[in-house]
Structure formats: C-alpha cells, structure tokens
Amino acid sequence: MTGIGAMGSPVYIFIFVLLLLTAPVQEDAYKAQREQMVEQQLKRRGISDKAVLNAMRTVKRHLFVPTAIAPEAYSDGALPIGHKQTISQPYMVAYMTQVIEPTPGMKVLEIGTGSGYQAAVLAEIVKQVYTIEIIPEHGKAAAARLKQLGYNNVEVKIGDGYAGWEEHAPFDAIVVTAGAESVPPPLFAQLKEGGRMVIPVGPVYRTQTLKLIEKKRGKAVTRNLMPVVFVPFTREGQQ
Ligand code: SAH
C-alpha cells in the first residue's frame, strides 16, 4: 500500500473522527467542572451576585494556568503560575469581584495581573479593566492570552502598581491581588468618590486581612472582611 493510500485507510478515518468527537467532549468536561465549581465552591459559600456567578461560569480558568495543571484548574484552591506567583482560589476571585459590586458601566483597576484570570472575570462584567503587573513575563503572557481570548476591554501595563495608573484615573473600583503591608496612598487617591477598593493588607507571607475600603467624602471607610494569604506586593527594585 502506498502512503497516500494509507491516509485513506479506515484506521486513519477512525482516528480523525475520534479526534473530532473528543475535542468538544474535553471542552464540555471543563464546562461541567466550571458549573460544579460555581455550585459547590461559590454559591454554597455565599456568592450570590448573578453577574459574578455568570462570569465565573464563562471564563475558561483552565486556559489561564500552565497546561500541565489544566485538569486541576477548577479545584478549590490557589495554583502555581510560575515565578513564585499563584492564581487565587476561585472562591477568592469571585468574592473579591462581588465585594466591589461590579456593574456594566464601571472602570476598574487591578494590581497584580498574574495570569490575567481575575482581569478576565472583571472584564466579563464591567466596561473597562486596567491591570498592572510587575513581573514582565507574566504581564506579557497575560496580555497575549487576554487578547487571544477576545478580551478587548482589558489593558495590561508592566510596572509597579503602587503608583496606580494616573492616566486612566479615577476608577470606580480597585482590586489588589497581592498582599500589601499598607494601602498605597496613590491607589486611594485614584479611587472615585463612592468607589470601592479591595486589598489584602498585612505582613509578608503571614496571614493578612482582606479589607474593603470605600471612599466617602474623600475619607477611607474601612471594613475588615476575612483573613487571607496572598503573595507579596513587591516594589520596583525589590525583586
Ligand atoms: N490576579 C492574578 C493573581 C495574582 S498573584 C490572577 O488572576 O492570576 C499576584 C500578582 O501580583 C503576581 O503576579 C505579582 O507579580 C504581582 N505583583 C506583586 N507586586 C506588584 C506590584 N507592586 N505591582 C504590580 N503587580 C504586582
């Protein structure tokens, strides 16, 4: 049998059909896992905002983690994404998104792009997301990934998020996904009147406190939400 003849053999046709069939099956397996994540990890723990639940149902978390651990993408925990950084537990992403009370018209700043997952979840709900990442490799990879997935309402900047993003300020909300020792004053300054910032504050690599800070008549009204552990908020030159 010639090579060309072999290509048309039933074995190849069988493999081809099998590939065609399994591709959507795999996609569906993750869809089912996402649904399960929403039901068991989010709703049961009090995530009730419909837009947030929908975003968590929609964003393909398995495309934001290293391929080798894609099958664990929907597990109930944080996962390593390289350079000693992690993608937060799904519940934490949903909780931080819910707490800023996201609405479709909002402009949100995120500090700590990491994989881009939190930015994508926000982008499903709000109008525009600006996100800053200090590790260039992460920033570049996240920007490429978000673009490829069609998130045209996310802009990624590489740099130290401590200074915020003056050019696009003020923001309706700010989501900080690295543990800071204190609230960076430029971030509070770039928050709109009535705006909300969610930020883990506390000592490096110890338990921090997730805080919700609202700007009321120019003053910070702070509420402690829960104990958390985030990777450190680093400063330029400290890497
Ligand atoms: N939100 C991310 C996970 C964040 S992990 C996601 O959904 O995947 C925290 C990230 O904050 C890391 O990538 C870390 O490099 C980044 N980071 C730490 N300090 C920073 C700073 N000063 N400015 C910007 N990014 C910072």
Side-chain angles (χ1 to χ4, degrees), residues 124-163:
E124 288 285 342
I125 308 170
V126 306
K127 189 168 176 208
Q128 183 67 39
V129 179
Y130 295 97
T131 177
I132 307 176
E133 170 57 51
I134 203 164
I135 299 178
E137 291 85 348
H138 276 320
K140 283 181 204 152
R145 178 179 294 130
L146 289 161
K147 191 171 175 214
Q148 200 212 340
L149 294 174
Y151 289 102
N152 298 322
N153 59 340
V154 182
E155 210 176 307
V156 183
K157 177 165 103 169
I158 291 161
D160 185 349
Y162 187 93

PDB file of all heavy atoms in Angstrom, residues 124-163:
ATOM      1  N   GLU A 124     -15.681  40.445  32.051  1.00  0.00           N
ATOM      2  CA  GLU A 124     -16.975  39.877  31.657  1.00  0.00           C
ATOM      3  C   GLU A 124     -18.121  40.764  32.147  1.00  0.00           C
ATOM      4  O   GLU A 124     -19.226  40.720  31.617  1.00  0.00           O
ATOM      5  CB  GLU A 124     -17.150  38.470  32.253  1.00  0.00           C
ATOM      6  CG  GLU A 124     -16.289  37.403  31.609  1.00  0.00           C
ATOM      7  CD  GLU A 124     -16.790  36.962  30.232  1.00  0.00           C
ATOM      8  OE1 GLU A 124     -17.972  37.211  29.902  1.00  0.00           O
ATOM      9  OE2 GLU A 124     -15.986  36.378  29.495  1.00  0.00           O
ATOM     10  N   ILE A 125     -17.859  41.533  33.202  1.00  0.00           N
ATOM     11  CA  ILE A 125     -18.934  42.290  33.848  1.00  0.00           C
ATOM     12  C   ILE A 125     -18.853  43.784  33.581  1.00  0.00           C
ATOM     13  O   ILE A 125     -19.852  44.415  33.247  1.00  0.00           O
ATOM     14  CB  ILE A 125     -18.915  42.051  35.387  1.00  0.00           C
ATOM     15  CG1 ILE A 125     -18.907  40.548  35.695  1.00  0.00           C
ATOM     16  CG2 ILE A 125     -20.107  42.747  36.054  1.00  0.00           C
ATOM     17  CD1 ILE A 125     -18.639  40.223  37.146  1.00  0.00           C
ATOM     18  N   VAL A 126     -17.667  44.352  33.760  1.00  0.00           N
ATOM     19  CA  VAL A 126     -17.549  45.807  33.692  1.00  0.00           C
ATOM     20  C   VAL A 126     -17.146  46.279  32.291  1.00  0.00           C
ATOM     21  O   VAL A 126     -16.821  45.474  31.421  1.00  0.00           O
ATOM     22  CB  VAL A 126     -16.563  46.354  34.756  1.00  0.00           C
ATOM     23  CG1 VAL A 126     -16.955  45.877  36.144  1.00  0.00           C
ATOM     24  CG2 VAL A 126     -15.111  45.978  34.435  1.00  0.00           C
ATOM     25  N   LYS A 127     -17.150  47.605  32.131  1.00  0.00           N
ATOM     26  CA  LYS A 127     -16.858  48.173  30.810  1.00  0.00           C
ATOM     27  C   LYS A 127     -15.364  48.083  30.452  1.00  0.00           C
ATOM     28  O   LYS A 127     -15.003  47.704  29.353  1.00  0.00           O
ATOM     29  CB  LYS A 127     -17.304  49.639  30.817  1.00  0.00           C
ATOM     30  CG  LYS A 127     -17.264  50.294  29.462  1.00  0.00           C
ATOM     31  CD  LYS A 127     -17.989  51.623  29.513  1.00  0.00           C
ATOM     32  CE  LYS A 127     -17.870  52.339  28.199  1.00  0.00           C
ATOM     33  NZ  LYS A 127     -17.934  53.796  28.392  1.00  0.00           N
ATOM     34  N   GLN A 128     -14.529  48.475  31.402  1.00  0.00           N
ATOM     35  CA  GLN A 128     -13.100  48.558  31.090  1.00  0.00           C
ATOM     36  C   GLN A 128     -12.259  48.145  32.295  1.00  0.00           C
ATOM     37  O   GLN A 128     -12.537  48.554  33.418  1.00  0.00           O
ATOM     38  CB  GLN A 128     -12.751  50.004  30.686  1.00  0.00           C
ATOM     39  CG  GLN A 128     -11.327  50.216  30.261  1.00  0.00           C
ATOM     40  CD  GLN A 128     -10.948  49.507  28.955  1.00  0.00           C
ATOM     41  OE1 GLN A 128     -11.740  49.453  28.020  1.00  0.00           O
ATOM     42  NE2 GLN A 128      -9.758  48.934  28.898  1.00  0.00           N
ATOM     43  N   VAL A 129     -11.249  47.341  32.030  1.00  0.00           N
ATOM     44  CA  VAL A 129     -10.335  46.903  33.083  1.00  0.00           C
ATOM     45  C   VAL A 129      -8.917  47.347  32.732  1.00  0.00           C
ATOM     46  O   VAL A 129      -8.457  47.155  31.604  1.00  0.00           O
ATOM     47  CB  VAL A 129     -10.351  45.350  33.242  1.00  0.00           C
ATOM     48  CG1 VAL A 129      -9.370  44.898  34.328  1.00  0.00           C
ATOM     49  CG2 VAL A 129     -11.752  44.845  33.545  1.00  0.00           C
ATOM     50  N   TYR A 130      -8.259  47.973  33.688  1.00  0.00           N
ATOM     51  CA  TYR A 130      -6.843  48.300  33.565  1.00  0.00           C
ATOM     52  C   TYR A 130      -6.130  47.447  34.592  1.00  0.00           C
ATOM     53  O   TYR A 130      -6.567  47.377  35.741  1.00  0.00           O
ATOM     54  CB  TYR A 130      -6.602  49.792  33.836  1.00  0.00           C
ATOM     55  CG  TYR A 130      -7.263  50.667  32.794  1.00  0.00           C
ATOM     56  CD1 TYR A 130      -8.508  51.242  33.027  1.00  0.00           C
ATOM     57  CD2 TYR A 130      -6.648  50.877  31.555  1.00  0.00           C
ATOM     58  CE1 TYR A 130      -9.126  52.014  32.057  1.00  0.00           C
ATOM     59  CE2 TYR A 130      -7.256  51.642  30.585  1.00  0.00           C
ATOM     60  CZ  TYR A 130      -8.494  52.215  30.833  1.00  0.00           C
ATOM     61  OH  TYR A 130      -9.108  52.955  29.866  1.00  0.00           O
ATOM     62  N   THR A 131      -5.058  46.784  34.184  1.00  0.00           N
ATOM     63  CA  THR A 131      -4.381  45.903  35.126  1.00  0.00           C
ATOM     64  C   THR A 131      -2.872  46.053  35.014  1.00  0.00           C
ATOM     65  O   THR A 131      -2.339  46.205  33.911  1.00  0.00           O
ATOM     66  CB  THR A 131      -4.856  44.433  34.971  1.00  0.00           C
ATOM     67  OG1 THR A 131      -4.127  43.596  35.865  1.00  0.00           O
ATOM     68  CG2 THR A 131      -4.700  43.902  33.544  1.00  0.00           C
ATOM     69  N   ILE A 132      -2.203  46.056  36.162  1.00  0.00           N
ATOM     70  CA  ILE A 132      -0.750  46.295  36.199  1.00  0.00           C
ATOM     71  C   ILE A 132      -0.035  45.088  36.806  1.00  0.00           C
ATOM     72  O   ILE A 132      -0.459  44.568  37.848  1.00  0.00           O
ATOM     73  CB  ILE A 132      -0.421  47.559  37.032  1.00  0.00           C
ATOM     74  CG1 ILE A 132      -1.230  48.768  36.523  1.00  0.00           C
ATOM     75  CG2 ILE A 132       1.083  47.866  36.988  1.00  0.00           C
ATOM     76  CD1 ILE A 132      -1.056  50.040  37.337  1.00  0.00           C
ATOM     77  N   GLU A 133       1.044  44.655  36.162  1.00  0.00           N
ATOM     78  CA  GLU A 133       1.828  43.513  36.634  1.00  0.00           C
ATOM     79  C   GLU A 133       3.296  43.903  36.684  1.00  0.00           C
ATOM     80  O   GLU A 133       3.835  44.455  35.737  1.00  0.00           O
ATOM     81  CB  GLU A 133       1.602  42.312  35.712  1.00  0.00           C
ATOM     82  CG  GLU A 133       2.525  41.139  35.949  1.00  0.00           C
ATOM     83  CD  GLU A 133       2.486  40.595  37.372  1.00  0.00           C
ATOM     84  OE1 GLU A 133       1.393  40.316  37.901  1.00  0.00           O
ATOM     85  OE2 GLU A 133       3.574  40.469  37.973  1.00  0.00           O
ATOM     86  N   ILE A 134       3.942  43.547  37.802  1.00  0.00           N
ATOM     87  CA  ILE A 134       5.340  43.943  37.975  1.00  0.00           C
ATOM     88  C   ILE A 134       6.323  42.965  37.314  1.00  0.00           C
ATOM     89  O   ILE A 134       7.430  43.338  36.961  1.00  0.00           O
ATOM     90  CB  ILE A 134       5.652  44.163  39.484  1.00  0.00           C
ATOM     91  CG1 ILE A 134       6.855  45.094  39.653  1.00  0.00           C
ATOM     92  CG2 ILE A 134       5.820  42.857  40.222  1.00  0.00           C
ATOM     93  CD1 ILE A 134       7.002  45.670  41.066  1.00  0.00           C
ATOM     94  N   ILE A 135       5.939  41.702  37.154  1.00  0.00           N
ATOM     95  CA  ILE A 135       6.826  40.717  36.516  1.00  0.00           C
ATOM     96  C   ILE A 135       6.558  40.726  35.004  1.00  0.00           C
ATOM     97  O   ILE A 135       5.483  40.310  34.557  1.00  0.00           O
ATOM     98  CB  ILE A 135       6.614  39.292  37.100  1.00  0.00           C
ATOM     99  CG1 ILE A 135       6.932  39.278  38.602  1.00  0.00           C
ATOM    100  CG2 ILE A 135       7.473  38.255  36.367  1.00  0.00           C
ATOM    101  CD1 ILE A 135       6.709  37.939  39.307  1.00  0.00           C
ATOM    102  N   PRO A 136       7.547  41.230  34.211  1.00  0.00           N
ATOM    103  CA  PRO A 136       7.295  41.403  32.778  1.00  0.00           C
ATOM    104  C   PRO A 136       6.791  40.143  32.069  1.00  0.00           C
ATOM    105  O   PRO A 136       5.875  40.219  31.250  1.00  0.00           O
ATOM    106  CB  PRO A 136       8.661  41.839  32.232  1.00  0.00           C
ATOM    107  CG  PRO A 136       9.378  42.423  33.402  1.00  0.00           C
ATOM    108  CD  PRO A 136       8.898  41.682  34.609  1.00  0.00           C
ATOM    109  N   GLU A 137       7.392  38.974  32.395  1.00  0.00           N
ATOM    110  CA  GLU A 137       6.984  37.723  31.717  1.00  0.00           C
ATOM    111  C   GLU A 137       5.502  37.457  31.939  1.00  0.00           C
ATOM    112  O   GLU A 137       4.782  37.061  31.018  1.00  0.00           O
ATOM    113  CB  GLU A 137       7.789  36.522  32.239  1.00  0.00           C
ATOM    114  CG  GLU A 137       9.252  36.544  31.831  1.00  0.00           C
ATOM    115  CD  GLU A 137      10.111  37.378  32.786  1.00  0.00           C
ATOM    116  OE1 GLU A 137       9.554  38.118  33.636  1.00  0.00           O
ATOM    117  OE2 GLU A 137      11.349  37.316  32.664  1.00  0.00           O
ATOM    118  N   HIS A 138       5.032  37.650  33.169  1.00  0.00           N
ATOM    119  CA  HIS A 138       3.606  37.426  33.465  1.00  0.00           C
ATOM    120  C   HIS A 138       2.739  38.450  32.732  1.00  0.00           C
ATOM    121  O   HIS A 138       1.710  38.110  32.161  1.00  0.00           O
ATOM    122  CB  HIS A 138       3.331  37.520  34.969  1.00  0.00           C
ATOM    123  CG  HIS A 138       3.596  36.237  35.698  1.00  0.00           C
ATOM    124  ND1 HIS A 138       3.260  35.015  35.187  1.00  0.00           N
ATOM    125  CD2 HIS A 138       4.149  35.992  36.908  1.00  0.00           C
ATOM    126  CE1 HIS A 138       3.611  34.069  36.040  1.00  0.00           C
ATOM    127  NE2 HIS A 138       4.163  34.630  37.096  1.00  0.00           N
ATOM    128  N   GLY A 139       3.183  39.695  32.779  1.00  0.00           N
ATOM    129  CA  GLY A 139       2.405  40.752  32.144  1.00  0.00           C
ATOM    130  C   GLY A 139       2.238  40.511  30.652  1.00  0.00           C
ATOM    131  O   GLY A 139       1.136  40.605  30.113  1.00  0.00           O
ATOM    132  N   LYS A 140       3.352  40.146  30.003  1.00  0.00           N
ATOM    133  CA  LYS A 140       3.311  39.920  28.552  1.00  0.00           C
ATOM    134  C   LYS A 140       2.457  38.712  28.217  1.00  0.00           C
ATOM    135  O   LYS A 140       1.646  38.747  27.291  1.00  0.00           O
ATOM    136  CB  LYS A 140       4.730  39.716  28.013  1.00  0.00           C
ATOM    137  CG  LYS A 140       5.497  41.023  27.889  1.00  0.00           C
ATOM    138  CD  LYS A 140       6.897  40.768  27.315  1.00  0.00           C
ATOM    139  CE  LYS A 140       7.830  41.883  27.738  1.00  0.00           C
ATOM    140  NZ  LYS A 140       9.218  41.470  27.820  1.00  0.00           N
ATOM    141  N   ALA A 141       2.637  37.630  28.982  1.00  0.00           N
ATOM    142  CA  ALA A 141       1.872  36.402  28.701  1.00  0.00           C
ATOM    143  C   ALA A 141       0.379  36.651  28.912  1.00  0.00           C
ATOM    144  O   ALA A 141      -0.455  36.218  28.107  1.00  0.00           O
ATOM    145  CB  ALA A 141       2.360  35.257  29.590  1.00  0.00           C
ATOM    146  N   ALA A 142       0.048  37.373  29.983  1.00  0.00           N
ATOM    147  CA  ALA A 142      -1.367  37.634  30.281  1.00  0.00           C
ATOM    148  C   ALA A 142      -1.986  38.513  29.195  1.00  0.00           C
ATOM    149  O   ALA A 142      -3.104  38.251  28.737  1.00  0.00           O
ATOM    150  CB  ALA A 142      -1.506  38.290  31.654  1.00  0.00           C
ATOM    151  N   ALA A 143      -1.243  39.519  28.751  1.00  0.00           N
ATOM    152  CA  ALA A 143      -1.765  40.415  27.717  1.00  0.00           C
ATOM    153  C   ALA A 143      -2.055  39.631  26.435  1.00  0.00           C
ATOM    154  O   ALA A 143      -3.114  39.800  25.816  1.00  0.00           O
ATOM    155  CB  ALA A 143      -0.773  41.540  27.449  1.00  0.00           C
ATOM    156  N   ALA A 144      -1.129  38.738  26.068  1.00  0.00           N
ATOM    157  CA  ALA A 144      -1.304  37.941  24.846  1.00  0.00           C
ATOM    158  C   ALA A 144      -2.505  36.998  24.987  1.00  0.00           C
ATOM    159  O   ALA A 144      -3.320  36.854  24.073  1.00  0.00           O
ATOM    160  CB  ALA A 144      -0.037  37.145  24.571  1.00  0.00           C
ATOM    161  N   ARG A 145      -2.605  36.382  26.163  1.00  0.00           N
ATOM    162  CA  ARG A 145      -3.699  35.439  26.420  1.00  0.00           C
ATOM    163  C   ARG A 145      -5.050  36.147  26.367  1.00  0.00           C
ATOM    164  O   ARG A 145      -5.997  35.680  25.731  1.00  0.00           O
ATOM    165  CB  ARG A 145      -3.465  34.836  27.810  1.00  0.00           C
ATOM    166  CG  ARG A 145      -4.505  33.872  28.288  1.00  0.00           C
ATOM    167  CD  ARG A 145      -4.119  33.339  29.660  1.00  0.00           C
ATOM    168  NE  ARG A 145      -2.917  32.530  29.642  1.00  0.00           N
ATOM    169  CZ  ARG A 145      -1.888  32.694  30.470  1.00  0.00           C
ATOM    170  NH1 ARG A 145      -1.906  33.647  31.393  1.00  0.00           N
ATOM    171  NH2 ARG A 145      -0.840  31.923  30.382  1.00  0.00           N
ATOM    172  N   LEU A 146      -5.133  37.296  27.015  1.00  0.00           N
ATOM    173  CA  LEU A 146      -6.405  38.036  27.055  1.00  0.00           C
ATOM    174  C   LEU A 146      -6.814  38.487  25.656  1.00  0.00           C
ATOM    175  O   LEU A 146      -7.986  38.438  25.291  1.00  0.00           O
ATOM    176  CB  LEU A 146      -6.289  39.227  28.006  1.00  0.00           C
ATOM    177  CG  LEU A 146      -6.211  38.850  29.492  1.00  0.00           C
ATOM    178  CD1 LEU A 146      -5.654  39.996  30.320  1.00  0.00           C
ATOM    179  CD2 LEU A 146      -7.588  38.440  30.025  1.00  0.00           C
ATOM    180  N   LYS A 147      -5.809  38.884  24.872  1.00  0.00           N
ATOM    181  CA  LYS A 147      -6.090  39.336  23.518  1.00  0.00           C
ATOM    182  C   LYS A 147      -6.604  38.164  22.684  1.00  0.00           C
ATOM    183  O   LYS A 147      -7.603  38.273  21.978  1.00  0.00           O
ATOM    184  CB  LYS A 147      -4.802  39.907  22.912  1.00  0.00           C
ATOM    185  CG  LYS A 147      -5.052  40.625  21.618  1.00  0.00           C
ATOM    186  CD  LYS A 147      -3.827  41.371  21.133  1.00  0.00           C
ATOM    187  CE  LYS A 147      -4.148  41.943  19.762  1.00  0.00           C
ATOM    188  NZ  LYS A 147      -2.989  41.958  18.896  1.00  0.00           N
ATOM    189  N   GLN A 148      -5.912  37.039  22.811  1.00  0.00           N
ATOM    190  CA  GLN A 148      -6.290  35.849  22.044  1.00  0.00           C
ATOM    191  C   GLN A 148      -7.703  35.386  22.393  1.00  0.00           C
ATOM    192  O   GLN A 148      -8.440  34.897  21.538  1.00  0.00           O
ATOM    193  CB  GLN A 148      -5.272  34.749  22.332  1.00  0.00           C
ATOM    194  CG  GLN A 148      -5.258  33.660  21.267  1.00  0.00           C
ATOM    195  CD  GLN A 148      -4.921  32.314  21.860  1.00  0.00           C
ATOM    196  OE1 GLN A 148      -4.344  32.216  22.952  1.00  0.00           O
ATOM    197  NE2 GLN A 148      -5.294  31.256  21.165  1.00  0.00           N
ATOM    198  N   LEU A 149      -8.067  35.563  23.651  1.00  0.00           N
ATOM    199  CA  LEU A 149      -9.407  35.131  24.078  1.00  0.00           C
ATOM    200  C   LEU A 149     -10.470  36.189  23.781  1.00  0.00           C
ATOM    201  O   LEU A 149     -11.640  36.000  24.106  1.00  0.00           O
ATOM    202  CB  LEU A 149      -9.395  34.778  25.575  1.00  0.00           C
ATOM    203  CG  LEU A 149      -8.533  33.561  25.950  1.00  0.00           C
ATOM    204  CD1 LEU A 149      -8.470  33.397  27.460  1.00  0.00           C
ATOM    205  CD2 LEU A 149      -9.083  32.285  25.311  1.00  0.00           C
ATOM    206  N   GLY A 150     -10.050  37.296  23.210  1.00  0.00           N
ATOM    207  CA  GLY A 150     -11.028  38.302  22.774  1.00  0.00           C
ATOM    208  C   GLY A 150     -11.431  39.319  23.829  1.00  0.00           C
ATOM    209  O   GLY A 150     -12.437  40.004  23.666  1.00  0.00           O
ATOM    210  N   TYR A 151     -10.647  39.429  24.910  1.00  0.00           N
ATOM    211  CA  TYR A 151     -10.967  40.440  25.927  1.00  0.00           C
ATOM    212  C   TYR A 151     -10.395  41.790  25.499  1.00  0.00           C
ATOM    213  O   TYR A 151      -9.308  42.177  25.901  1.00  0.00           O
ATOM    214  CB  TYR A 151     -10.425  40.015  27.301  1.00  0.00           C
ATOM    215  CG  TYR A 151     -11.203  38.855  27.879  1.00  0.00           C
ATOM    216  CD1 TYR A 151     -10.694  37.562  27.832  1.00  0.00           C
ATOM    217  CD2 TYR A 151     -12.453  39.046  28.453  1.00  0.00           C
ATOM    218  CE1 TYR A 151     -11.416  36.484  28.336  1.00  0.00           C
ATOM    219  CE2 TYR A 151     -13.177  37.984  28.963  1.00  0.00           C
ATOM    220  CZ  TYR A 151     -12.646  36.709  28.908  1.00  0.00           C
ATOM    221  OH  TYR A 151     -13.369  35.654  29.411  1.00  0.00           O
ATOM    222  N   ASN A 152     -11.145  42.480  24.676  1.00  0.00           N
ATOM    223  CA  ASN A 152     -10.662  43.757  24.145  1.00  0.00           C
ATOM    224  C   ASN A 152     -10.824  44.914  25.125  1.00  0.00           C
ATOM    225  O   ASN A 152     -10.359  46.017  24.857  1.00  0.00           O
ATOM    226  CB  ASN A 152     -11.398  44.087  22.845  1.00  0.00           C
ATOM    227  CG  ASN A 152     -11.131  43.031  21.786  1.00  0.00           C
ATOM    228  OD1 ASN A 152     -10.008  42.532  21.688  1.00  0.00           O
ATOM    229  ND2 ASN A 152     -12.140  42.670  21.018  1.00  0.00           N
ATOM    230  N   ASN A 153     -11.504  44.664  26.221  1.00  0.00           N
ATOM    231  CA  ASN A 153     -11.704  45.725  27.207  1.00  0.00           C
ATOM    232  C   ASN A 153     -10.744  45.608  28.400  1.00  0.00           C
ATOM    233  O   ASN A 153     -11.053  46.076  29.494  1.00  0.00           O
ATOM    234  CB  ASN A 153     -13.168  45.756  27.677  1.00  0.00           C
ATOM    235  CG  ASN A 153     -13.601  44.432  28.295  1.00  0.00           C
ATOM    236  OD1 ASN A 153     -12.978  43.394  28.070  1.00  0.00           O
ATOM    237  ND2 ASN A 153     -14.670  44.465  29.075  1.00  0.00           N
ATOM    238  N   VAL A 154      -9.614  44.948  28.177  1.00  0.00           N
ATOM    239  CA  VAL A 154      -8.588  44.868  29.230  1.00  0.00           C
ATOM    240  C   VAL A 154      -7.290  45.447  28.684  1.00  0.00           C
ATOM    241  O   VAL A 154      -6.858  45.091  27.593  1.00  0.00           O
ATOM    242  CB  VAL A 154      -8.310  43.409  29.676  1.00  0.00           C
ATOM    243  CG1 VAL A 154      -7.287  43.389  30.810  1.00  0.00           C
ATOM    244  CG2 VAL A 154      -9.577  42.697  30.099  1.00  0.00           C
ATOM    245  N   GLU A 155      -6.700  46.346  29.464  1.00  0.00           N
ATOM    246  CA  GLU A 155      -5.396  46.882  29.079  1.00  0.00           C
ATOM    247  C   GLU A 155      -4.380  46.514  30.156  1.00  0.00           C
ATOM    248  O   GLU A 155      -4.638  46.735  31.342  1.00  0.00           O
ATOM    249  CB  GLU A 155      -5.500  48.403  28.922  1.00  0.00           C
ATOM    250  CG  GLU A 155      -4.527  48.945  27.895  1.00  0.00           C
ATOM    251  CD  GLU A 155      -4.710  50.430  27.671  1.00  0.00           C
ATOM    252  OE1 GLU A 155      -5.855  50.857  27.379  1.00  0.00           O
ATOM    253  OE2 GLU A 155      -3.728  51.161  27.819  1.00  0.00           O
ATOM    254  N   VAL A 156      -3.265  45.923  29.737  1.00  0.00           N
ATOM    255  CA  VAL A 156      -2.245  45.465  30.689  1.00  0.00           C
ATOM    256  C   VAL A 156      -1.037  46.396  30.617  1.00  0.00           C
ATOM    257  O   VAL A 156      -0.591  46.755  29.536  1.00  0.00           O
ATOM    258  CB  VAL A 156      -1.776  44.018  30.347  1.00  0.00           C
ATOM    259  CG1 VAL A 156      -0.760  43.522  31.377  1.00  0.00           C
ATOM    260  CG2 VAL A 156      -2.956  43.058  30.249  1.00  0.00           C
ATOM    261  N   LYS A 157      -0.549  46.766  31.802  1.00  0.00           N
ATOM    262  CA  LYS A 157       0.673  47.578  31.847  1.00  0.00           C
ATOM    263  C   LYS A 157       1.699  46.848  32.697  1.00  0.00           C
ATOM    264  O   LYS A 157       1.345  46.241  33.715  1.00  0.00           O
ATOM    265  CB  LYS A 157       0.356  48.941  32.462  1.00  0.00           C
ATOM    266  CG  LYS A 157       1.575  49.839  32.624  1.00  0.00           C
ATOM    267  CD  LYS A 157       1.175  51.275  32.887  1.00  0.00           C
ATOM    268  CE  LYS A 157       1.341  51.635  34.340  1.00  0.00           C
ATOM    269  NZ  LYS A 157       1.195  53.089  34.557  1.00  0.00           N
ATOM    270  N   ILE A 158       2.962  46.900  32.291  1.00  0.00           N
ATOM    271  CA  ILE A 158       4.012  46.292  33.103  1.00  0.00           C
ATOM    272  C   ILE A 158       4.655  47.392  33.934  1.00  0.00           C
ATOM    273  O   ILE A 158       5.067  48.427  33.393  1.00  0.00           O
ATOM    274  CB  ILE A 158       5.027  45.555  32.215  1.00  0.00           C
ATOM    275  CG1 ILE A 158       4.324  44.316  31.628  1.00  0.00           C
ATOM    276  CG2 ILE A 158       6.270  45.148  32.998  1.00  0.00           C
ATOM    277  CD1 ILE A 158       4.971  43.736  30.432  1.00  0.00           C
ATOM    278  N   GLY A 159       4.668  47.183  35.238  1.00  0.00           N
ATOM    279  CA  GLY A 159       5.264  48.195  36.117  1.00  0.00           C
ATOM    280  C   GLY A 159       4.851  47.963  37.559  1.00  0.00           C
ATOM    281  O   GLY A 159       4.189  46.967  37.882  1.00  0.00           O
ATOM    282  N   ASP A 160       5.244  48.871  38.427  1.00  0.00           N
ATOM    283  CA  ASP A 160       4.915  48.797  39.849  1.00  0.00           C
ATOM    284  C   ASP A 160       3.534  49.423  40.071  1.00  0.00           C
ATOM    285  O   ASP A 160       3.358  50.632  39.880  1.00  0.00           O
ATOM    286  CB  ASP A 160       5.993  49.544  40.641  1.00  0.00           C
ATOM    287  CG  ASP A 160       5.806  49.418  42.147  1.00  0.00           C
ATOM    288  OD1 ASP A 160       4.738  48.938  42.574  1.00  0.00           O
ATOM    289  OD2 ASP A 160       6.730  49.803  42.880  1.00  0.00           O
ATOM    290  N   GLY A 161       2.598  48.599  40.483  1.00  0.00           N
ATOM    291  CA  GLY A 161       1.219  49.057  40.671  1.00  0.00           C
ATOM    292  C   GLY A 161       1.035  50.030  41.827  1.00  0.00           C
ATOM    293  O   GLY A 161      -0.044  50.607  41.984  1.00  0.00           O
ATOM    294  N   TYR A 162       2.083  50.201  42.637  1.00  0.00           N
ATOM    295  CA  TYR A 162       1.991  51.107  43.788  1.00  0.00           C
ATOM    296  C   TYR A 162       1.514  52.489  43.360  1.00  0.00           C
ATOM    297  O   TYR A 162       0.738  53.135  44.061  1.00  0.00           O
ATOM    298  CB  TYR A 162       3.369  51.215  44.471  1.00  0.00           C
ATOM    299  CG  TYR A 162       3.357  51.995  45.762  1.00  0.00           C
ATOM    300  CD1 TYR A 162       3.191  51.337  46.980  1.00  0.00           C
ATOM    301  CD2 TYR A 162       3.538  53.380  45.774  1.00  0.00           C
ATOM    302  CE1 TYR A 162       3.186  52.043  48.176  1.00  0.00           C
ATOM    303  CE2 TYR A 162       3.529  54.099  46.971  1.00  0.00           C
ATOM    304  CZ  TYR A 162       3.349  53.421  48.160  1.00  0.00           C
ATOM    305  OH  TYR A 162       3.336  54.122  49.335  1.00  0.00           O
ATOM    306  N   ALA A 163       1.981  52.928  42.199  1.00  0.00           N
ATOM    307  CA  ALA A 163       1.655  54.280  41.718  1.00  0.00           C
ATOM    308  C   ALA A 163       0.306  54.341  40.999  1.00  0.00           C
ATOM    309  O   ALA A 163      -0.134  55.418  40.592  1.00  0.00           O
ATOM    310  CB  ALA A 163       2.755  54.766  40.787  1.00  0.00           C
TER     311      ALA A 163
END
